[in-house]
Amino acid sequence: MRLFVDSANLEEIRTAASWGILSGVTTNPTLLAKEDPTVDIRQRLKEIHAIVGGHISIEVVSTDTAGMLREAEEIVSWLPEAVIKIPMTPEGMAAVRELARQGIPTNVTLVFSPAQALIAANAGARFISVFLGRLDDIGADGLQVLGTVCEIWERQGLEAEIIAASLRHPMHLVEAARLGADIATAPFRVLQQAMKHPLTESGLHSFLADYHRLQEAQARARQVPLVL
Ligand code: G3P
């Protein structure tokens, strides 16, 4: 399972990219709205792509098919590698079909059920983002939905790649991998949490303390005069 960061924050993206674990970035209008409004959005997205390379999903904000297609055309004119993020609506599916015909990859977003995932696959989506956390937030079971989607994909041999999205904690990452998601897109905080373990921290602390004790003992031993 590949890892993407779900962020539009340059500092977070630079840091996560420096760890060498990222295969891409997903953004959405909410994430972009959290950042400095004086920075041109195009500039920010181009910079994000320059940092990470690989996949970058950029979401359209039109709700009609023609508007989505215009936005997609505009986005690929300044970032040809962009994957166009399209909402799971009838108008969105028509846009996905047309973009697939033009060879422009899409990521269908706001998918909350296996039925929606199947529809998106049939429209020709290259990626499908199944939201986990937002389902959990309303008392539903995001991982159960993802599990059913992955089971259907296996049984039917479907090609669209499944992105586990809307992650809230490291166990979402672990379970998404166990269920067979192709990609997980995680907030920076979840990637940080996933790397940490108290035993790693205490283990490293005692290795370093023991190493310093050894160095001091060796220095002391070198100062002891040889008695013949
Ligand atoms: O980018 C799509 C998705 O990951 C958003 O997640 O945290 O807003 O539910 P969230």
Side-chain angles (χ1 to χ4, degrees):
M1 184 178 78
R2 305 191 310 279
L3 294 179
F4 293 175
V5 65
D6 195 30
S7 175
N9 181 280
L10 288 178
E11 208 179 310
E12 287 183 353
I13 292 168
R14 264 195 212 102
T15 306
S18 75
W19 299 333
I21 62 166
L22 290 185
S23 303
V25 183
T26 52
T27 61
N28 64 41
T30 303
L31 292 170
L32 285 164
K34 287 182 189 161
E35 302 305 320
D36 180 359
T38 63
V39 178
D40 176 60
I41 291 177
R42 271 190 208 188
Q43 211 39 52
R44 176 175 296 278
L45 290 164
K46 281 166 115 168
E47 207 171 330
I48 289 172
H49 184 57
I51 295 167
V52 181
H55 179 116
I56 180 163
S57 278
I58 302 175
E59 189 157 343
V60 296
V61 287
S62 300
T63 52
D64 63 306
T65 306
M68 290 181 199
L69 292 174
R70 267 196 306 277
E71 279 187 67
E73 187 185 355
E74 199 266 330
I75 293 167
V76 295
S77 74
W78 50 267
L79 194 53
E81 302 86 355
V83 173
I84 309 300
K85 219 171 174 188
I86 305 272
M88 176 63 233
T89 60
E91 296 79 8
M93 294 309 95
V96 167
R97 170 51 61 203
E98 174 54 22
L99 291 170
R101 196 191 62 76
Q102 295 176 23
I104 297 173
T106 53
N107 172 2
V108 173
T109 188
L110 294 167
V111 170
F112 294 94
S113 74
Q116 289 181 317
L118 265 178
I119 295 284
N122 278 277
R126 180 83 63 85
F127 301 90
I128 299 175
S129 292
V130 179
F131 280 41
L132 306 183
R134 291 191 193 192
L135 279 168
D136 296 354
D137 290 345
I138 60 157
D141 187 344
L143 285 170
Q144 193 182 34
V145 169
L146 180 66
T148 306
V149 170
C150 290
E151 191 187 327
I152 292 168
W153 252 239
E154 180 80 23
R155 181 78 56 97
Q156 300 278 333
L158 296 173
E159 283 177 7
E161 293 200 77
I162 301 300
I163 303 180
S166 182
L167 306 190
R168 298 277 186 269
H169 48 73
M171 283 313 288
H172 269 156
L173 273 183
V174 173
E175 287 301 309
R178 197 173 63 81
L179 292 168
D182 299 288
I183 296 153
T185 187
F188 178 72
R189 177 183 49 79
V190 173
L191 294 176
Q192 272 181 321
Q193 289 170 337
M195 227 182 315
K196 285 191 179 160
H197 194 287
L199 291 177
T200 306
E201 280 167 34
S202 60
L204 181 60
H205 184 265
S206 58
F207 281 155
L208 295 180
D210 288 343
Y211 176 73
H212 289 305
R213 255 201 307 279
L214 170 65
Q215 270 195 322
E216 281 164 20
Q218 287 195 321
R220 272 198 307 276
R222 277 196 296 272
Q223 282 165 11
V224 174
L226 263 183
V227 181
L228 295 172

